Amino acid sequence: MAEEKKWYTGMFSSEDWWSFWIGLFFVLVGIIAAATGADISGWVIGFPKWVDITNSLSPDHSALMSGVSSLIVSYIIFTIATCIGAYFMGMDMKKYFWAWTLIFWLSALVYILSKNAYIQATSIERPDFGIGWSLSIGGAHYIVALFIGLLIGNLAPKSFREFMYHGARPEWFIKIAIVFLGCKLGMKVVDSTGYALELLLVGACATVAAYLLFWPLVYTLCRKGFKLTREWAATLASGISICGVSASIATGGAIRARPIVPVMISSLIVVFAVIELVVLPPVLTYTPWFNEPMAAASSLGLTVKTDGADAASGAITDQLMRTRAQEELGVQWEEGWITSASVMTKIWIDMFIGVWALVLAMLWLRFVEKRPDEKVEKMEVWWRFPKFVLGYFVAWIAVGVLGLTVIGPDAMDWGIHPFESTARHLFFILTFTSIGLVTNFRKLAEENMGRLAFAYGLGLLLIIIPLGWIIAWIFHNGMMPPTVG
Amino acid sequence: MSQEQHDLNEEVSHEAEPWEQWESNLVKWSLIIGVGALIVFGALVNLFVLH
């Protein structure tokens, strides 16, 4: 299984590691800017709300350059960074470059148009823009990006869709954004809230409980209810219980399932995750879950089964809930905490993939393949460990420790904000566009996918979502996002 | 029908192996540990973190 592997295998060839390298490279740029005062990070393009389109672009450090220059510089720098990663990952560089370019500019266009104040301004912000009405749809840019991606991914000519797949890498983009999110938690440590550590702790506890309840229940449903074979049942149970695509692939490898098994389960996971991404944020925002925003966000981490869709649904919920809180309660919750709660729960789940793959590998060797004497390599845990999670923690600790000691909070915030916030949002929208592009609803219509889809859908509705909601509430009840100021 | 679809049809339709005792044990112990973690961690978190 892993005889030829070293501890550093994949360090320059896997998507996970390239999320780590690219994410931390930019975090380092932000830290150097903070330490030296040299403005090498402020070029990152931001997309503010606007009524006059000439105000629709602004670099993070607004005095540094014009908005258009910032957009072009951001395109060039992020293109170079991702192309280096794509090269080492063995992608077709020409196709990646052109597909990425299309995705970047399409996402930027959607971002600009959707941030119009008539679409997104809250009632409190309307006087600032001089407008009398607005739709107050916070996060509209994410929804529009997803919709445009889905239109292209499902209705465009096949040759064009296949071309776009070369640049549409939602898991990669969101993992880079998650490394940036680590900086936000680092800044919160600097602010001495202690809240970030509480969130980390309760997220870990919720994950352990959820993990060990989800998997056996779904496995039993698949085996006894749907009469699936062990390899289909185990792979589906891991996919729906743990961390979607990564878990189904890890489980497929651990139990030596045929390659088609994790591939087909993965396509189901992606389709269902998009349905959850569209349905769950408004459900959570406009039901009594609104009174438990952090628990609601954590439930997304437990129930939405890809990193991209989870962080994306957390970002939409963050926007929707903050907009509603501002409109109805007159309270301004800090941006990013609701997203952080959904991501943090998911991160813990991601970390368990390796352990669970190891457990399943040992069980299958002993009971299915009847080879109890064969040893399973313990390094599997490390190889299966999601490396972008390392990046997330390194960013968190580096920003937190340096911000508290040698650099200082104000300088750190100035240097790191372009990546902690602005670039993170840019990579979020790239993720939304890409999720739409790679989601193919036609897969569900394929023969015999119906049975698997039914098993997956029922497992999600009867086990994962209800249990996830209960567990999220038990471990996060009463937690509220900090308010601005 | 593509080869991939043919494989899928065969695999999903394939008769499932009988449920064995080790599967019962795996499910049982996962649930026991999961419920235990829920109770113990839930109590600790609610006592010392949330309130």
Side-chain angles (χ1 to χ4, degrees), chain A residues 198 201-202 205 208-209 212-213 215-217 219-220 223-224 227-232 258 260 263-264 356 359-360 363-364 367-368 370 443 446-449 451-452 471 474-477 479, chain B residues 1 3-20 22-24 26-43 45-46 48-51:
Chain A
E198 286 180 10
L201 182 68
V202 296
C205 294
V208 171
L212 291 166
L213 296 176
W215 199 95
L217 291 174
Y219 182 78
T220 306
R223 289 280 285 136
K224 296 202 168 182
K227 307 290 179 203
L228 294 178
T229 59
R230 286 192 191 111
E231 65 174 355
W232 284 104
R258 270 164 283 257
I260 192 175
V263 167
M264 299 316 291
W356 198 247
V359 169
L360 290 179
L363 285 169
W364 251 250
F367 295 111
V368 179
K370 314 285 185 196
K443 283 278 182 195
E446 282 181 7
E447 217 176 327
N448 249 326
M449 277 300 272
R451 188 171 162 206
L452 288 174
I471 292 168
I474 289 174
F475 288 97
H476 296 79
N477 68 86
M479 288 185 100
Chain B
M1 184 188 293
Q3 184 60 40
E4 187 184 83
Q5 264 193 306
H6 178 78
D7 291 347
L8 175 67
N9 289 339
E10 279 211 343
E11 286 309 317
V12 179
S13 306
H14 193 72
E15 194 175 337
E17 311 90 336
W19 181 271
E20 290 184 12
W22 69 268
E23 291 174 285
S24 296
L26 173 65
V27 167
K28 183 177 76 183
W29 282 107
S30 290
L31 289 174
I32 289 171
I33 299 169
V35 171
L38 191 65
I39 293 168
V40 173
F41 289 151
V45 162
N46 275 271
F48 297 110
V49 180
L50 298 180
H51 301 292

Side-chain angles (χ1 to χ4, degrees), chain A residues 420-434:
Chain A
E420 171 266 301
S421 176
T422 312
R424 175 165 57 87
H425 291 133
L426 178 63
F427 274 84
F428 273 169
I429 201 163
L430 290 166
T431 303
F432 274 93
T433 311
S434 303

Side-chain angles (χ1 to χ4, degrees), chain A residues 451-467:
Chain A
R451 188 171 162 206
L452 288 174
F454 192 41
Y456 194 100
L458 213 60
L460 203 58
L461 274 178
L462 297 183
I463 298 169
I464 305 295
I465 292 179
L467 256 182

